[in-house]
Amino acid sequence: MSFILNWKVHAKCFIIALGIAVFLYDKIFAILTGYCEKPLIIWCFKELLPEIYINFMIVVVSAMIPITVIHEMLHGFAYKLFGGQLKYGFRGFYVYTMEVSGRPMARIQFCIILLAPVLMISFISLFITGWIGDLVFVLNLLGSSADIYMALGLLKYEYGSKFIDRTYGYDVIKSNCKPK
């Protein structure tokens, strides 16, 4: 059995991200308000883009780069923690981390690998003051929608099942053990 990352899964993850954004509307509004009160204006765009909201979008896009790199490095750290061999790559405009040895992982291990970035970056964002910490939290949470979706999807498989990371998603090796 396989879990395949296709356009339907991406659409579901987009809907999850929209739901998260609606749920976090107050926090997103606070980020925008905090930015407007004390903007981080990129000096080279100050004359070219005097509109504060355009500058805010540049800040958001610029923040996504280090957040994404750290996010993928945390996936890699979790893979290494469980003895995996790594490959980093790009698929379209997505960055990914993949375990390439074909080593099967237990459900809890794969769940830790999937959720490590959202949990660790969310925790770290608590120590970043002001709207920047909130921005880091929200951007990482929105960017982790696929990880959250896949982690929740692991719950439907039998106890003792193993998972192998693949370029298209993951394969499931069902176990003959049943929970007691």
Side-chain angles (χ1 to χ4, degrees):
M1 179 180 282
S2 296
F3 175 86
I4 299 172
L5 289 168
N6 55 26
W7 69 271
K8 289 180 184 179
V9 171
H10 287 291
K12 289 176 185 177
C13 293
F14 181 74
I15 291 168
I16 291 169
L18 283 176
I20 292 169
V22 168
F23 182 73
L24 295 176
Y25 171 80
D26 290 339
K27 187 165 282 290
I28 293 169
F29 186 76
I31 292 167
L32 191 54
T33 303
Y35 178 81
C36 290
E37 290 173 359
K38 193 173 181 183
L40 176 67
I41 297 178
I42 301 170
W43 67 270
C44 61
F45 294 111
K46 191 172 185 177
E47 288 78 26
L48 295 174
L49 301 170
E51 182 61 47
I52 197 164
Y53 296 110
I54 295 172
N55 202 320
F56 178 73
M57 293 310 297
I58 292 169
V59 168
V60 168
V61 170
S62 299
M64 281 303 296
I65 295 167
I67 291 170
T68 302
V69 168
I70 293 168
H71 179 104
E72 293 306 322
M73 287 174 59
L74 287 168
H75 278 307
F77 175 76
Y79 273 125
K80 286 287 192 183
L81 186 68
F82 297 116
Q85 296 175 6
L86 301 177
K87 173 186 170 190
Y88 295 97
F90 293 93
R91 188 177 306 124
F93 62 91
Y94 294 105
V95 180
Y96 66 89
T97 304
M98 185 177 152
E99 201 285 324
V100 294
S101 70
R103 180 182 175 279
M105 287 170 264
R107 178 171 34 193
I108 188 70
Q109 291 174 326
F110 203 51
C111 191
I112 289 169
I113 290 164
L114 288 170
L115 296 179
V118 71
L119 296 174
M120 292 300 296
I121 294 174
S122 295
F123 179 73
I124 291 167
S125 73
L126 293 172
F127 299 100
I128 303 171
T129 59
W131 64 268
I132 295 175
D134 292 341
L135 180 69
V136 169
F137 172 77
V138 169
L139 291 178
N140 184 59
L141 187 60
L142 293 173
S144 298
S145 61
D147 296 333
I148 295 166
Y149 178 77
M150 288 192 296
L152 290 172
L154 297 178
L155 298 174
K156 70 180 179 183
Y157 298 107
E158 293 176 8
Y159 175 81
S161 294
K162 301 283 186 179
F163 302 87
I164 301 174
D165 198 6
R166 301 286 189 209
T167 56
Y168 51 79
Y170 57 81
D171 286 337
V172 182
I173 303 167
K174 288 192 175 189
S175 171
N176 292 333
C177 338
K178 298 288 181 194
K180 293 181 180 182

